[in-house]
Amino acid sequence: MKKEGHPDYHTITVVMTDGSTYETRSTYGKEGDKLTLDIDPRIHPAWTGGNQHLVDRGGRVSRFKDKFKGFVS
């Protein structure tokens, strides 16, 4: 295996927003670096899937359905 073809994969410490930490392996930074998170993935909707809904602003969904109502799948 070529050594120069692979990134340096090492142990870093991840610091969560509540101050808790854990160690993981990553290509981020150097061995022993700390990655401090600004957003907590345990509660943020981007990771948890919370509060998602479809809003038909300006009738876009209705216009799409009207435009393609004659097509059969």
Side-chain angles (χ1 to χ4, degrees), residues 22-66:
Y22 69 91
E23 285 191 1
T24 188
R25 293 181 44 84
S26 175
T27 58
Y28 173 82
K30 297 177 291 212
E31 178 77 30
D33 278 355
K34 288 186 179 181
L35 173 62
T36 304
L37 300 181
D38 295 332
I39 300 172
D40 194 341
R42 292 179 293 188
I43 59 171
H44 194 277
W47 285 276
T48 62
N51 300 332
Q52 293 179 350
H53 59 279
L54 176 65
V55 177
D56 186 8
R57 299 184 194 269
R60 290 187 182 103
V61 174
S62 301
R63 285 186 289 165
F64 178 85
K65 287 181 179 178
D66 290 341

